[in-house]
Amino acid sequence: MSKDSTPLPPYFNIDPDAALAELDLPTGTEGFAAIAEACTRGRADLASRGMNEEGRKTLRLFSTWEITRYLIPVAQAHFRRVLKQNPDLPQGRSETEGGAKWFTLDEVLRLRAHFGAQGSKAKNYLPYRPKGQPAKLVAVANFKGGVGKTSTAAHLAMSAALDGYRVLVIDLDSQGSMTSIFGGRVEDEWQTAFPLLARHYGEYLRVENQRRLDRGDAPQPLDEALSAAMKMTARDVIQSTHWPNIDLIGAQLNLYWAEFQIPVWRMAARGWKLWDALTDRLAADGVLDAYDLVFIDTPPALGYLTINGLAAADILLVPLGASFLEFDSTGRFFDMLHSTFASIEDGENMAARALGRPEMAFEWDAVRAVVTRFDGAQQGELSALMQAYLGKTLSPHRQDFTALIGQAGERVHGIYEADYRDFNRETYARGRETFDATYAAFKRLLLGVWRRDELAAQAAAE
């Protein structure tokens, strides 16, 4: 009779003494500091691989092939002919004698403007934005981790920038991942969105204090922090990035303090509309005129910062994976959104009805769930089921997982920052197809929303 040669599972026959020998000492509070410091060193090492000698991120160059295929819809021969006929235009640079010409994105934007002014009117050289319409704010949110929330927001911002739009990215997540992607430097909460929220509260308090004085009551003092915030605008916290047409309001760990400070302000001033803070300040500081698109990366929780981001948004994108747990979690996320915003509306409208004022209601131009990291061989049936239940709320486009994603992540940059020479043209073209399709689905949504607003404005003017 032969013995069964099948090995036992690895969790059998573990020797306690051997396990003890492998164990390190218990961890105290200071142990967390040591682990955090090790992560900081590692993060700095990884991040530095995408930086220049000055410690800043730089954006790669773009070749004639890439420009004419992805950025400016003209034939290469015509592109070269236009450059030859217009020596004042950027001419690019060659790395070898007679080699391909390479251009900075700044130069590409100048070339696009030239083709937009001088080229065929039948082609869309310049991105569409109706005159007189403000920027559209896009929040990317879900409280399920690992769904590609930050990477989706970052790649859409980069896609829009390559398309010629002026983009502002607002990082409301104190983990600061979006800030890292764009090479932002944020020393403390005063270089984040926090001063904008504080100023909004301070302005409300100043108006309320005048009312108190008119009634003969003592005013509520503005503390040192609020007084400092009253002197700040969005321009003070917006920083440029290595993308010429992407700016950033960054985040860092201290931003999380806002989650504790905002409810304190709200308790002291029940009439303060905290959910309008970000929207009002961006509008007052001219941000909605200076940019075409504002992407807001929210924390993976429905706190006060997320509420500000969602309330400010015109378009809400909710990334999720094609799995039961992520579908279930996303359903709970929408349920929580309903409860939160319905509660705000009920509270506000109860007071509005009592005072004979118009009632308020939140509204989003469009809401879409987007399947990310999709594996068609494994998840096709489940994604079809999700589509059947969610209908138009779920974008029909699925963002495939490709090897390009992993390699870009290892190099601390986005897909569009990857140089195709690190792969080959065919691999690069296949790898970016899914991201181009994701942007195409978003752009179709954006243009439809803008066109609806444009027609509504025209109808109102008649």
Side-chain angles (χ1 to χ4, degrees):
M1 184 175 177
S2 61
K3 290 185 177 180
D4 186 357
S5 60
T6 304
L8 291 172
Y11 48 81
F12 278 106
N13 300 328
I14 296 176
D15 178 48
D17 288 323
L20 174 61
E22 297 170 2
L23 194 65
D24 52 359
L25 295 174
T27 300
T29 304
E30 290 303 313
F32 293 143
I35 297 169
E37 198 273 333
C39 289
T40 299
R41 293 199 312 273
R43 176 191 173 282
D45 177 37
L46 290 170
S48 67
R49 301 179 188 184
M51 295 182 179
N52 59 17
E53 294 178 355
E54 289 76 38
R56 294 278 184 181
K57 271 199 164 188
T58 56
L59 187 60
R60 67 179 179 86
L61 302 178
F62 297 82
S63 71
T64 300
W65 168 79
E66 193 174 6
I67 292 169
T68 55
R69 173 159 181 169
Y70 295 110
L71 306 180
I72 303 176
V74 295
Q76 287 193 49
H78 179 60
F79 181 80
R80 294 191 186 97
R81 186 162 53 249
V82 169
L83 294 190
K84 188 174 182 180
Q85 293 170 350
N86 296 271
D88 56 320
L89 289 176
Q91 298 295 309
R93 58 198 59 78
S94 297
E95 297 180 345
T96 58
E97 185 71 29
K101 291 290 186 69
W102 295 80
F103 300 79
T104 67
L105 183 55
D106 242 338
E107 292 171 334
V108 173
L109 295 174
R110 287 177 56 195
L111 292 169
R112 177 186 271 121
H114 174 81
F115 279 97
Q118 306 295 329
S120 170
K121 302 305 179 186
K123 292 186 177 181
N124 297 321
Y125 293 111
L126 301 176
Y128 170 81
R129 175 183 174 180
K131 290 183 179 180
Q133 293 297 320
K136 285 298 179 184
L137 286 82
V138 184
V140 184
N142 199 334
F143 59 33
K144 181 76 172 68
V147 296
K149 178 175 61 64
T150 298
S151 61
T152 296
H155 283 112
L156 285 176
M158 293 176 187
S159 298
L162 291 174
D163 203 17
Y165 286 114
R166 297 165 299 168
V167 178
L168 174 66
V169 174
I170 302 178
D171 192 353
L172 294 181
D173 188 348
S174 58
Q175 295 178 86
S177 298
M178 182 71 85
T179 302
S180 294
I181 289 172
F182 287 103
R185 296 186 175 185
V186 182
E187 297 299 326
D188 55 34
E189 68 273 18
W190 290 97
Q191 295 176 326
T192 71
F194 173 75
L196 306 184
L197 309 183
R199 177 169 178 174
H200 190 268
Y201 172 70
E203 289 178 339
Y204 171 84
L205 201 58
R206 183 172 285 176
V207 172
E208 187 62 24
N209 278 342
Q210 187 58 55
R211 293 181 183 142
R212 294 172 68 91
L213 289 170
D214 293 343
R215 296 194 304 265
D217 297 334
Q220 296 186 53
L222 271 69
D223 61 25
E224 185 177 337
L226 289 175
S227 297
M230 295 295 285
K231 302 173 185 176
M232 297 184 67
T233 69
R235 294 293 167 197
D236 296 315
V237 295
I238 291 174
Q239 55 182 292
S240 59
T241 73
H242 57 296
W243 286 72
N245 53 344
I246 299 180
D247 289 340
L248 170 73
I249 296 179
Q252 58 103 253
L253 192 59
N254 287 1
L255 178 59
Y256 191 68
W257 180 61
E259 297 289 0
F260 301 96
Q261 184 60 59
I262 290 174
V264 172
W265 291 337
R266 175 69 170 167
M267 289 297 293
R270 301 295 297 179
W272 175 51
K273 294 176 173 55
L274 65 91
W275 47 87
D276 286 339
L278 185 60
T279 316
D280 290 349
R281 285 313 319 160
L282 293 177
D285 292 339
V287 169
L288 304 189
D289 295 321
Y291 298 93
D292 301 305
L293 288 165
V294 180
F295 287 95
I296 304 171
D297 188 35
T298 62
L302 194 54
Y304 293 104
L305 290 169
T306 301
I307 288 173
N308 260 279
L310 295 176
D314 302 298
I315 298 172
L316 171 59
L317 301 179
V318 182
L320 75 157
S323 73
F324 169 79
L325 291 178
E326 293 186 37
F327 187 36
D328 178 57
S329 175
T330 299
R332 297 175 194 275
F333 175 68
F334 278 110
D335 187 42
M336 188 172 288
L337 290 185
H338 169 259
S339 299
T340 300
F341 287 102
S343 175
I344 294 172
E345 289 174 349
D346 290 345
E348 288 296 295
N349 291 335
M350 185 181 299
R353 285 190 293 270
L355 296 170
R357 295 174 180 170
E359 296 186 15
M360 63 91 73
F362 291 99
E363 185 175 75
W364 290 265
D365 290 328
V367 175
R368 290 290 183 275
V370 182
V371 172
T372 58
R373 305 178 72 84
F374 180 66
D375 181 350
Q378 303 290 329
Q379 300 172 327
E381 183 177 352
L382 182 54
S383 67
L385 179 68
M386 292 163 58
Q387 191 78 61
Y389 278 102
L390 288 175
K392 292 188 72 172
T393 300
L394 181 63
S395 171
H397 168 67
R398 314 282 186 256
Q399 183 175 290
D400 296 325
F401 180 83
T402 70
L404 208 58
I405 295 175
Q407 293 190 41
E410 290 174 5
R411 300 176 189 186
V412 202
H413 56 207
I415 300 303
Y416 295 110
E417 295 176 323
D419 190 324
Y420 66 79
R421 292 173 297 179
D422 293 337
F423 314 92
N424 61 57
R425 285 190 186 184
E426 291 71 25
T427 301
Y428 176 79
R430 287 196 304 271
R432 68 171 283 169
E433 278 178 2
T434 185
F435 295 93
D436 289 344
T438 299
Y439 176 63
F442 165 75
K443 187 178 179 182
R444 181 177 294 274
L445 193 68
L446 171 69
L447 267 56
V449 167
W450 255 331
R451 182 59 174 160
R452 183 169 62 193
D453 290 350
E454 184 179 29
L455 293 175
Q458 291 173 0
E462 292 175 356

